[in-house]
Amino acid sequence: MIIKSSLPAARSLRPPPLRAGAVRIASIDVEWTKNYKIKNGQRPFCYSVTWLDLDAGRTPDLADVPFEWASVYVEEPGEMDELVRSAAATVTAAAETSTIITGHQFCSDLSVLEANAPADAVPHLQAARAKWKDRRDADPDESHYVDTRFDSGHILTGKSRRLVDVCNELGLDVTQPELLKVTMPAWHRRWVEEGQEEGRERVSVLNLRHSLSTAYVAAHAAGLGRWADEGLNVNRLIAEGAKGAWGWLENPIFTNLVEDTCPSESAALSPSKAHRQQAKRRTSTR
């Protein structure tokens, strides 16, 4: 597997040390391919986790709060079991070390992981799904789940709960240049079939943007963080927080987005976060 992280290589997938008095948010996002011709045709191939530590009783500007992150991508399709094991371990570690575990429509991520999980990873994912289902009865001062698709309505006025629309309403710029001309499934195929690194890098950055922006929405929904009225450019924060991780971050198509706040209303949406269509398609992502 290809692992990128802001943490030292020896502990790249472990949660960072938690400082005293901090409230930790762990945000996880999974990407997968989908084949509608077969049952359970979803196949996870990439995930990321973002760790955000905030001070209880304060609402800092999140532009000034550092974050840690890790990203995992299969080097070849045969590594799916290994990726699912890694994701299951990450979810378990998040529950053990974080106050808030979040994702956008995280139930779908957990379901797809469990459907493809080797036997030793299944109990961890089943436990996570059970905690997700019981999240609204959980003690908010203890470790608990927050799903930003379903649990952020109190800070929203619009009807759409697509991640890009939620972020846009709240002033988070999540413009996605990765999808301007080519879909995410197509970029992934270029990596799997042709070894084209740019495809993998684009999807990795897209996935990290999902987990980071979800962490910010969860922080705002919990009253733990804020940003300036003019908005927060998530691409700029990724460029700074993941500098050197992927060549795509140095591509002019991407760097043009980090100078000023960019409108994201018309940004293409990753199919993994798009509204589900009723009509069946041959291949897509969730």
Side-chain angles (χ1 to χ4, degrees):
M1 294 190 302
I2 298 172
I3 300 173
K4 302 285 186 178
S5 178
S6 60
L7 298 166
R11 53 174 301 117
S12 57
L13 292 178
R14 300 178 191 172
L18 179 63
R19 56 185 174 80
V23 175
R24 170 163 293 173
I25 297 176
S27 178
I28 302 168
D29 192 271
V30 184
E31 306 293 350
W32 62 76
T33 59
K34 176 175 283 188
N35 185 338
Y36 286 93
K37 288 187 175 182
I38 61 174
K39 184 179 180 180
N40 295 326
Q42 299 94 333
R43 296 290 182 265
F45 62 86
C46 169
Y47 82 88
S48 63
V49 56
T50 299
W51 293 285
L52 191 63
D53 290 351
L54 302 165
D55 293 324
R58 298 181 58 226
T59 53
D61 188 331
L62 294 176
D64 300 325
V65 177
F67 63 92
E68 303 287 357
W69 61 274
S71 169
V72 181
Y73 206 115
V74 295
E75 193 159 9
E76 56 185 37
E79 293 179 328
M80 186 184 68
D81 281 2
E82 186 179 355
L83 180 132
V84 173
R85 285 192 180 97
S86 176
T90 296
V91 171
T92 299
E96 292 173 347
T97 62
S98 307
T99 303
I100 296 175
I101 307 97
T102 190
H104 195 78
Q105 198 166 319
F106 197 40
C107 52
S108 295
D109 288 335
L110 294 172
S111 178
V112 169
L113 289 172
E114 184 182 343
N116 291 278
D120 55 325
V122 170
H124 300 286
L125 295 167
Q126 288 179 335
R129 291 184 71 187
K131 290 181 179 178
W132 180 91
K133 290 178 181 178
D134 295 337
R135 69 191 186 282
R136 289 176 179 168
D137 295 324
D139 185 342
D141 296 323
E142 302 293 332
S143 179
H144 65 283
Y145 281 76
V146 171
D147 193 315
T148 52
R149 183 176 181 91
F150 305 109
D151 304 330
S152 57
H154 61 290
I155 59 172
L156 300 170
T157 58
K159 293 182 179 180
S160 175
R161 292 298 181 266
R162 300 190 319 161
L163 180 58
V164 70
D165 293 333
V166 168
C167 290
N168 183 59
E169 179 179 339
L170 296 177
L172 289 173
D173 178 5
V174 292
T175 304
Q176 301 180 121
E178 297 82 11
L179 305 179
L180 289 178
K181 295 183 179 180
V182 181
T183 65
M184 185 174 67
W187 283 123
H188 177 60
R189 284 195 300 272
R190 291 183 184 186
W191 163 244
V192 172
E193 297 173 2
E194 304 170 19
Q196 187 179 116
E197 291 190 2
E198 184 178 326
R200 170 178 56 79
E201 292 189 352
R202 283 182 179 232
V203 176
S204 295
V205 172
L206 183 79
N207 181 242
L208 180 59
R209 187 186 295 111
H210 288 164
S211 62
L212 180 58
S213 58
T214 297
Y216 290 153
V217 173
H220 184 37
L224 293 170
R226 59 177 177 81
W227 45 87
D229 291 341
E230 59 267 25
L232 182 63
N233 189 324
V234 178
N235 284 313
R236 181 185 298 130
L237 297 176
I238 290 175
E240 296 170 353
K243 186 176 182 180
W246 297 287
W248 169 243
L249 296 179
E250 306 299 326
N251 189 300
I253 299 174
F254 183 89
T255 58
N256 286 341
L257 300 176
V258 306
E259 298 301 326
D260 300 298
T261 300
C262 307
S264 58
E265 291 92 333
S266 59
L269 183 70
S270 165
S272 67
K273 296 304 173 188
H275 176 71
R276 293 186 176 186
Q277 301 295 322
Q278 296 300 315
K280 291 186 177 181
R281 296 169 292 176
R282 290 187 59 189
T283 57
S284 181
T285 55
R286 64 182 167 92

